[in-house]
Amino acid sequence: MFLHSVNLWNLAFYVFMVFLATLGLWDVFFGFEENKCSMSYMFEYPEYQKIELPKKLAKRYPAYELYLYGEGSYAEEHKILPLTGIPVLFLPGNAGSYKQVRSIGSIALRKAEDIDFKYHFDFFSVNFNEELVALYGGSLQKQTKFVHECIKTILKLYKGQEFAPKSVAIIGHSMGGLVARALLTLKNFKHDLINLLITQATPHVAPVMPLDRFITDFYTTVNNYWILNARHINLTTLSIAGGFRDYQVRSGLTFLPKLSHHTSALSVVSSAVPKTWVSTDHLSIVWCKQLQLTTVRAFFDLIDADTKQITQNSKKKLSVLSHHFIRHPSKHFEENPAIISDLTGTSMWVPVKVSKWTYVAYNESEKIYFTFPLENHRKIYTHVYCQSTMLDTNSWIFACINSTSMCQQGVDLSWKAELLPTIKFLTLRLQDYPSLSHLVVYVPSVHGSKFVVDCEFFKKETRSIQLPVTHLFSFGLSSRKVVLNTNGLYYNIELLNFGQIYQAFKINVVSKCSAVKEEITSIYKLHIPWSYEDSLTIAQAPSSTEISLKLHIAQPENDSHVALLKMYTSSDCRYEVTIKTSFSQILGQVVRFHGGALPAYVVSNMLLTYRGQLYSLFSTGCCLEYATMLDKEAKPYKVDPFVIIIKFLLGYKWFKELWEVLLLPELDAIILTSQSMCFPLISLILFLFGTCTAYWSGLLSSASVRLLSSLWLALKRPSELPKDIKMISPDLPFLTIVLIIVSWTTCGALAILLSYVYYVFKVVHLQASLTTFKNSQPVNPKHSRRSEKKSNHHKDSSVHHLRLSANDAEDSLRMHSTVINLLTWIVFLSMPSLIYWLKNLRYYFKLNPDPCKPLAFILIPTMAVLGNTYTVSIKSSKLLKTASQFPLPLAVGVIAFGSAHLYRVPCFAFIPLLLHALCNFM
């Protein structure tokens, strides 16, 4: 019946939309690089020593605990407190375990052993009982207060020690990072209790899924505090994102806002972190060996030799983090590096006058200084580029000032170099160094190792090539290409007109090499100048390499930089770069950035369908099929123009003031604009996806009701259509009161679910009764219709004793089909708090605070009445016309205020249900 009510063109459209959604979902969940993280292993058995908390604290937070991580002899020694190291506190995130500290804790312990425990870190971890704080925000404030108490407890463990710490460093994974930032909002919290904050895959900007108001209120409190107090917050903070492998928390949400020039905050994607260069998923970011090694190196470089604790010098902390996480020069960190170096000793000095030079070092017995005079090169070239495949941490490139051929002291340029996986390189703009007379490349004496050093002088215009990206709507049918014919070592491909999150491309780099015996490695680096989200691709030439090109952060309006594809190539190869639009990745970006808003658009479509059915019942006395009414009523032009007009008017001061006087919340479209998340036609795209989802969910619910009714008939004896329609059955008040008590004493979402089950039971019973009635009727349809008319005539003449005919039952089932769909989404959006409550049932019988309790109090009696409602009982209602008009503005409202605040969606959905129920009494 459901499929028969849809024409083939509409069915084809729904199938096509499923295909598009599948493409987008595939790109989000599978369209990324393989996991290149190495697993971090423990060398000894990990142990978690429970730290005894004060009895009052343990009683106040029965589900939470504090642990100290250790292995082997370290664990045995530290069972006897107090401690002597540097405290670091790990905060797990949503459903996270305190045992996730073991990766970084074990690596830090090995590092301490390497330096004979001159310094060592004590890693603590909080057990939040794996709470689902991404689904329910009511416990975030409680977690924050517990962490404050943990910090005070940790510092007491060091009392009486010579170098006792006065603060702790915090590593927060996922929501744990947000809890760490929330510490600063507590009234009695002293900011100097935290000396460093590192967050891993933490959504700082906004919640991934705003499923209740407690989550959004918590975010608002934290972010507003950090914005208003930006000049006074001196906490050095590093936020690390996982990149495109992390489909749970998109990287754009992890970037801390640049509040002011005083803010000591860095945000970086793991694929851009030196010596890491991999994308991580949401869980592997805590155990990825490459990333944890980088983090531990940074921790040890942050130690102050005088206090044997993490330095209090904010400038040094930022320098260390920049050195390890932003730009690594392939040298050990030094707070005040020596700029002038001695170039003396028994070394050969070899002048090089050519513009392009290569030296292969193998078993060198002497140190060699190769000198490049710059005077003549300045007249012809603008830049010099040098690279070396020897990845040690020694200085390797210098410059002489006003020298003829050699110098005893030179400027160490190695600090300006940059490390890549297979090379370290330096690029200098010659006019920026007018006092330099010679460039000096140092080749040390080596035995048994081979490395290559290359240098070349070039003009910028010969190595910077502009490549405009293809149009968004070219759908990959057209492409643009550049050919690199010169035999250079380095190229900059400027990707013009690329800066929006809805753009996505595939770049294909083809390398063709002359006959070479050895393997040639090329590195292609996508550089995004307005955010640290670079990514690297390593290719062996000759080859054809495909690179995905898409953004985590859109280009700011006042930023004029151009995204670059930096190519570190071989002079023996020629390269061809082709770019074309990737339609599947564009769909992936739609899902990645706006997929969370889909429930609001689905409910909007259902509300429009519901409006059509109620109005049809009012005007014609009958109710059309759900699918037919969805095709007829669910049109984007009924919703989108109103949202666009409101957004436009809010640009005027008078309208904005009126908006604030009416105490209306901020428009969600404006919030998305402030987060640079505006896609062209995105609301239309989401509305069409919502229409498709509403159709298939309607098909599923209709099939489920028919299946359940068949099971009912198989298990129970056939039911009959009710002879007398009673809006309030004898057991209805009792059931309603019981469910309200359940809501008050346990969890509102549980009561909503039980009410939903009752409502579905009533609909299944009606379907079974109708099936039995139809099977028992004679085959002659005319006779059946005559008897129905007589029944209807009898029904109209006896107002107080309504009888239900088969036509009325079918009409009622059509209406119930739409109501079930709306209720399903209400229940679905209420489930997170129920899941949280069930998981914590052994600690708390009553969920407090409960986001669903107010909704449950109204929805329970509404569903109870609707379960006994038939179309015949509301056709003559004076309220029916009003009830049929309400869903349209609510369909607009759910898009305007619910797409970025999903917890508001059930509120918009239940209002027409309440009016529908009231039609029985008015």
Side-chain angles (χ1 to χ4, degrees):
M1 289 292 291
F2 192 92
L3 284 172
H4 293 163
S5 61
V6 183
N7 65 50
L8 289 177
W9 285 111
N10 287 334
L11 187 60
F13 166 74
Y14 295 136
V15 172
F16 177 67
M17 292 305 294
V18 169
F19 171 72
L20 294 183
T22 304
L23 284 179
L25 290 169
W26 185 92
D27 180 72
V28 171
F29 293 107
F30 304 103
F32 42 70
E33 65 180 54
E34 62 181 7
N35 193 351
K36 296 177 182 177
C37 278
S38 300
M39 176 66 76
S40 50
Y41 295 98
M42 285 76 252
F43 287 85
E44 297 176 272
Y45 189 78
E47 294 185 36
Y48 305 89
Q49 180 184 347
K50 187 176 178 180
I51 304 298
E52 189 174 346
L53 300 172
K55 290 183 179 179
K56 286 185 179 180
L57 189 63
K59 189 176 181 180
R60 198 187 317 161
Y61 305 101
Y64 299 162
E65 297 168 323
L66 177 65
Y67 288 88
L68 171 65
Y69 177 80
E71 295 177 18
S73 59
Y74 170 88
E76 289 297 322
E77 291 171 8
H78 288 79
K79 284 181 180 179
I80 304 172
L81 304 174
L83 303 173
T84 58
I86 304 168
V88 179
L89 179 60
F90 176 80
L91 304 180
N94 176 58
S97 168
Y98 66 96
K99 294 182 179 180
Q100 289 174 314
V101 73
R102 63 184 178 270
S103 294
I104 192 167
S106 181
I107 291 172
L109 185 58
R110 300 285 85 76
K111 177 77 171 174
E113 288 178 349
D114 291 342
I115 59 174
D116 295 325
F117 284 93
K118 180 182 178 182
Y119 310 112
H120 74 273
F121 289 87
D122 300 318
F123 278 84
F124 297 86
S125 185
V126 174
N127 178 17
F128 286 133
N129 191 35
E130 300 184 11
E131 288 184 334
L132 303 170
V133 287
L135 302 181
Y136 169 75
S139 62
L140 286 168
Q141 190 68 21
K142 183 170 61 175
Q143 287 190 0
T144 306
K145 292 178 179 178
F146 180 73
V147 171
H148 183 201
E149 297 298 332
C150 285
I151 292 172
K152 292 189 286 187
T153 301
I154 288 169
L155 294 178
K156 287 178 183 177
L157 300 177
Y158 295 85
K159 271 192 173 180
Q161 299 302 308
E162 183 181 359
F163 299 101
K166 297 178 181 178
S167 58
V168 302
I170 294 181
I171 299 176
H173 173 240
S174 188
M175 295 298 286
L178 188 70
V179 168
R181 286 180 64 216
L183 285 167
L184 275 62
T185 67
L186 298 178
K187 289 182 179 179
N188 300 321
F189 185 79
K190 297 177 181 178
H191 290 197
D192 55 3
L193 288 178
I194 309 176
N195 53 45
L196 177 68
L197 172 60
I198 297 178
T199 66
Q200 301 170 332
T202 296
H204 292 293
V205 177
V208 177
M209 295 289 284
L211 295 169
D212 66 53
R213 64 180 178 86
F214 304 121
I215 295 178
T216 54
D217 289 349
F218 189 81
Y219 266 90
T220 301
T221 301
V222 173
N223 287 330
N224 284 350
Y225 181 89
W226 279 63
I227 291 169
L228 296 173
N229 298 276
R231 291 180 175 272
H232 308 294
I233 296 175
N234 198 30
L235 175 59
T236 303
T237 309
L238 171 68
S239 174
I240 308 170
F244 288 109
R245 279 194 63 84
D246 189 351
Y247 51 77
Q248 293 185 46
V249 176
R250 62 177 180 84
S251 296
L253 291 176
T254 68
F255 277 67
L256 291 160
K258 296 177 181 178
L259 306 176
S260 74
H261 65 280
H262 297 285
T263 306
S264 300
L266 291 173
S267 301
V268 63
V269 179
S270 61
S271 60
V273 175
K275 295 191 175 184
T276 300
W277 296 306
V278 296
S279 176
T280 64
D281 60 52
H282 196 63
L283 292 180
S284 68
I285 198 169
V286 300
W287 57 254
C288 181
K289 186 177 180 180
Q290 296 96 312
L291 183 59
Q292 301 311 319
L293 282 169
T294 300
T295 306
V296 169
R297 291 188 201 105
F299 268 125
F300 277 87
D301 281 342
L302 285 165
I303 298 173
D304 187 323
D306 296 328
T307 63
K308 294 190 177 180
Q309 295 293 325
I310 289 179
T311 180
Q312 297 299 317
N313 186 333
S314 298
K315 187 177 180 182
K316 179 182 177 180
K317 284 190 279 191
L318 206 58
S319 297
V320 170
L321 295 179
S322 297
H323 176 93
H324 288 283
F325 290 92
I326 304 299
R327 186 177 176 278
H328 199 295
S330 190
K331 288 180 68 66
H332 292 306
F333 175 80
E334 294 180 26
E335 188 174 358
N336 298 301
I339 302 300
I340 304 299
S341 300
D342 292 329
L343 307 179
T344 57
T346 56
S347 306
M348 290 177 58
W349 286 76
V350 180
V352 180
K353 296 183 178 180
V354 295
S355 61
K356 188 169 185 178
W357 168 83
T358 299
Y359 184 80
V360 180
Y362 183 67
N363 282 339
E364 298 294 328
S365 58
E366 293 185 51
K367 303 174 185 176
I368 306 175
Y369 288 107
F370 292 94
T371 62
F372 299 80
L374 301 178
E375 184 178 356
N376 292 331
H377 289 308
R378 277 197 180 92
K379 300 174 183 178
I380 306 172
Y381 305 106
T382 60
H383 291 72
V384 59
Y385 170 87
C386 289
Q387 67 180 33
S388 173
T389 59
M390 188 174 190
L391 304 182
D392 63 358
T393 57
N394 296 318
S395 295
W396 63 285
I397 190 163
F398 308 88
C400 295
I401 300 175
N402 300 324
S403 174
T404 54
S405 60
M406 58 182 290
C407 54
Q408 291 186 345
Q409 288 187 323
V411 178
D412 190 351
L413 298 176
S414 305
W415 292 101
K416 297 183 180 295
E418 187 174 342
L419 180 67
L420 290 177
T422 58
I423 61 171
K424 55 185 177 183
F425 72 93
L426 172 71
T427 305
L428 291 180
R429 188 182 175 198
L430 294 176
Q431 72 178 53
D432 293 341
Y433 302 90
S435 62
L436 302 184
S437 59
H438 288 76
L439 190 68
V440 180
V441 175
Y442 171 61
V443 176
S445 57
V446 292
H447 301 282
S449 60
K450 181 180 178 181
F451 65 95
V452 181
V453 183
D454 297 278
C455 285
E456 67 173 351
F457 292 84
F458 61 88
K459 289 183 179 180
K460 181 184 177 182
E461 56 268 23
T462 62
R463 302 300 171 85
S464 294
I465 299 154
Q466 294 184 340
L467 178 61
V469 298
T470 49
H471 194 272
L472 177 68
F473 296 109
S474 63
F475 301 108
L477 301 176
S478 62
S479 63
R480 287 179 177 150
K481 180 171 66 174
V482 293
V483 179
L484 313 180
N485 287 317
T486 57
N487 56 349
L489 299 171
Y490 169 75
Y491 294 92
N492 260 345
I493 309 294
E494 298 180 4
L495 303 168
L496 303 182
N497 308 319
F498 174 61
Q500 301 301 324
I501 54 174
Y502 54 79
Q503 293 177 297
F505 307 93
K506 285 182 180 178
I507 295 178
N508 187 256
V509 181
V510 178
S511 56
K512 298 176 182 178
C513 306
S514 55
V516 289
K517 297 180 180 179
E518 296 185 357
E519 194 176 66
I520 298 174
T521 300
S522 299
I523 299 175
Y524 312 130
K525 179 180 181 179
L526 176 63
H527 175 60
I528 308 300
W530 54 84
S531 63
Y532 297 118
E533 54 176 285
D534 296 2
S535 58
L536 295 178
T537 302
I538 302 174
Q540 303 300 326
S543 64
S544 176
T545 305
E546 188 173 275
I547 304 169
S548 291
L549 179 61
K550 51 195 174 188
L551 293 171
H552 298 291
I553 297 286
Q555 185 174 17
E557 291 183 5
N558 57 351
D559 194 299
S560 59
H561 291 93
V562 178
L564 301 172
L565 177 64
K566 295 187 174 185
M567 301 178 63
Y568 303 91
T569 58
S570 170
S571 57
D572 296 317
C573 302
R574 299 292 180 270
Y575 296 83
E576 186 177 281
V577 182
T578 307
I579 187 169
K580 62 180 180 180
T581 300
S582 174
F583 183 61
S584 63
Q585 291 189 62
I586 291 173
L587 292 173
Q589 290 291 80
V590 170
V591 173
R592 183 175 287 109
F593 283 86
H594 293 281
L598 185 62
Y601 285 87
V602 175
V603 171
S604 179
N605 275 273
M606 290 180 176
L607 286 172
L608 292 174
T609 305
Y610 196 27
R611 171 190 176 274
Q613 286 185 320
L614 289 172
Y615 187 77
S616 172
L617 190 63
F618 167 74
S619 58
T620 66
C622 64
C623 183
L624 296 179
E625 284 277 1
Y626 171 83
T628 304
M629 198 57 71
L630 180 69
D631 293 337
K632 183 179 178 182
E633 293 293 329
K635 306 298 180 185
Y637 61 78
K638 295 182 178 181
V639 174
D640 282 346
F642 294 100
V643 179
I644 294 169
I645 291 169
I646 294 170
K647 183 183 176 183
F648 172 76
L649 290 174
L650 281 170
Y652 292 95
K653 187 177 179 181
W654 64 270
F655 191 80
K656 191 171 184 179
E657 289 175 351
L658 176 63
W659 190 270
E660 291 171 353
V661 168
L662 295 174
L663 301 177
L664 292 171
E666 188 174 11
L667 198 68
D668 283 358
I670 293 177
I671 296 173
L672 297 178
T673 302
S674 67
Q675 296 176 9
S676 300
M677 285 176 57
C678 283
F679 280 61
L681 306 177
I682 184 60
S683 189
L684 173 61
I685 295 168
L686 287 174
F687 191 92
L688 295 178
F689 277 127
T691 307
C692 173
T693 307
Y695 170 77
W696 291 111
S697 63
L699 177 62
L700 180 63
S701 66
S702 177
S704 299
V705 167
R706 291 177 182 278
L707 177 62
L708 289 172
S709 67
S710 299
L711 291 173
W712 175 268
L713 290 174
L715 298 173
K716 300 273 289 184
R717 66 180 182 179
S719 305
E720 295 181 357
L721 289 174
K723 295 179 180 178
D724 295 319
I725 297 175
K726 296 179 180 179
M727 289 173 287
I728 300 179
S729 58
D731 61 337
L732 195 60
F734 174 75
L735 180 64
T736 303
I737 292 170
V738 168
L739 289 174
I740 288 176
I741 292 173
V742 168
S743 173
W744 179 262
T745 57
T746 58
C747 173
L750 174 65
I752 290 174
L753 178 63
L754 294 175
S755 302
Y756 174 74
V757 171
Y758 167 78
Y759 179 82
V760 172
F761 167 77
K762 296 292 289 185
V763 175
V764 168
H765 186 268
L766 178 61
Q767 177 70 57
S769 300
L770 180 62
T771 303
T772 302
F773 177 81
K774 285 185 174 181
N775 292 337
S776 63
Q777 290 301 299
V779 179
N780 187 350
K782 292 182 179 179
H783 174 78
S784 176
R785 284 171 188 164
R786 280 197 300 270
S787 62
E788 296 253 338
K789 286 180 181 178
K790 289 179 181 178
S791 174
N792 287 338
H793 176 74
H794 174 73
K795 167 190 71 182
D796 293 334
S797 60
S798 302
V799 178
H800 297 289
H801 299 283
L802 295 175
R803 298 180 65 84
L804 189 68
S805 67
N807 282 344
D808 291 330
E810 287 182 347
D811 267 2
S812 298
L813 281 171
R814 293 183 189 121
M815 185 67 75
H816 282 307
S817 175
T818 305
V819 173
I820 280 183
N821 283 313
L822 279 170
L823 289 175
T824 300
W825 281 96
I826 292 175
V827 171
F828 174 73
L829 292 171
S830 303
M831 281 302 97
S833 61
L834 175 62
I835 295 168
Y836 177 90
W837 175 76
L838 289 171
K839 194 174 185 302
N840 291 273
L841 193 55
R842 57 177 173 159
Y843 299 106
Y844 312 104
F845 187 71
K846 181 179 180 180
L847 183 63
N848 186 32
D850 189 345
C852 295
K853 189 176 291 182
L855 178 65
F857 286 166
I858 305 174
L859 197 58
I860 289 168
T862 300
M863 279 196 278
V865 172
L866 287 177
N868 291 276
T869 297
Y870 304 92
T871 53
V872 66
S873 62
I874 64 170
K875 284 180 183 179
S876 58
S877 172
K878 296 177 181 179
L879 191 62
L880 182 59
K881 183 178 180 181
T882 304
S884 68
Q885 292 171 343
F886 258 79
L888 178 58
L890 292 171
V892 176
V894 76
I895 298 299
F897 303 109
S899 54
H901 297 81
L902 291 181
Y903 64 89
R904 294 173 181 165
V905 173
C907 301
F908 286 97
F910 97 86
I911 292 174
L913 297 176
L914 177 62
L915 292 174
H916 185 174
L918 290 175
C919 286
N920 288 282
F921 308 100
M922 299 177 67

